[in-house]
Amino acid sequence: TLSSFGLCAFLFPLDDLAGRSSLLLTLMLTAVAFKFLVADSLPRVPYFTVLDKYMLTCFSLLMIILLESSICSYVILPNAIWTGISPSEEVLNVLLILDRVCFYTCLTLFLLFNTVFLLWVRSALHQNNKMLGPEHGGQMSLQAMQEEDGWDFGPTIEVSTTKGKKTHPMSA
């Protein structure tokens, strides 16, 4: 949600770099604070977690918006401040078009990334539930997976335990 608020920077006028950058830098600071808060409650691992990848992508989107805003303002402001001459209408129109293109590009990337991420996480959870089986909170047993998906684990043997019989795959 923090990166979606970054798209609100486009509501500020193109020459209002202070408004855009204060919003974006506040969102970046909030994202970093959130990352540190969540990182304290998670175990330390030597690789990027799913949350790390998601936060890095959201942070990158905020950086792209800040970079675009800075570049557009750099073209407008120095001319007006140093020369006292405002940019021509043609230059302003090109910058406004660039600003709109960047907005729609960032919006599309945001929606596409979140959709792909949601589908990927859903698929991973489904696969984990299938692999765990009902005795560990999953949805399917090994035999149910074999029947539903047509997987061939080879011949199975039944092992008696104190809780009853369980079916285990046995390599052929």
Side-chain angles (χ1 to χ4, degrees):
T1 59
L2 289 176
S3 58
S4 65
F5 288 135
L7 295 172
C8 292
F10 291 102
L11 296 174
F12 289 96
L14 190 56
D15 59 346
D16 187 10
L17 180 61
R20 285 184 177 206
S21 60
S22 65
L23 172 69
L24 292 167
L25 292 173
T26 301
L27 289 172
M28 285 181 195
L29 183 62
T30 305
V32 170
F34 176 74
K35 175 67 178 108
F36 279 126
L37 181 71
V38 171
D40 286 341
S41 63
L42 295 176
R44 297 189 188 276
V45 291
Y47 53 86
F48 278 147
T49 63
V50 173
L51 179 64
D52 292 331
K53 292 175 186 176
Y54 185 81
M55 291 298 295
L56 184 62
T57 304
C58 292
F59 197 78
S60 298
L61 181 66
L62 294 174
M63 286 296 297
I64 289 169
I65 296 170
L66 181 62
L67 182 66
E68 183 270 340
S69 298
S70 300
I71 290 171
C72 287
S73 293
Y74 180 76
V75 170
I76 293 172
L77 293 177
N79 286 334
I81 292 173
W82 298 111
T83 63
I85 302 170
S86 296
S88 67
E89 287 295 317
E90 291 178 10
V91 171
L92 287 176
N93 286 337
V94 169
L95 289 174
L96 287 173
I97 291 171
L98 175 68
D99 195 49
R100 292 296 168 240
V101 167
C102 187
F103 168 72
Y104 289 119
T105 303
C106 288
L107 178 63
T108 303
L109 288 174
F110 173 76
L111 293 173
L112 183 66
F113 169 72
N114 280 301
T115 302
V116 169
F117 184 78
L118 179 67
L119 293 174
W120 178 72
V121 167
R122 187 170 183 230
S123 172
L125 288 174
H126 181 69
Q127 288 297 331
N128 284 342
N129 283 341
K130 284 174 79 173
M131 297 296 264
L132 288 175
E135 62 271 3
H136 297 291
Q139 298 171 350
M140 299 182 131
S141 67
L142 180 64
Q143 193 167 13
M145 278 194 297
Q146 196 171 10
E147 291 169 2
E148 181 187 281
D149 295 338
W151 292 356
D152 184 18
F153 292 109
T156 57
I157 58 171
E158 292 194 11
V159 177
S160 297
T161 65
T162 56
K163 294 183 180 180
K165 294 182 179 180
K166 291 188 177 183
T167 303
H168 294 282
M170 182 176 80
S171 59

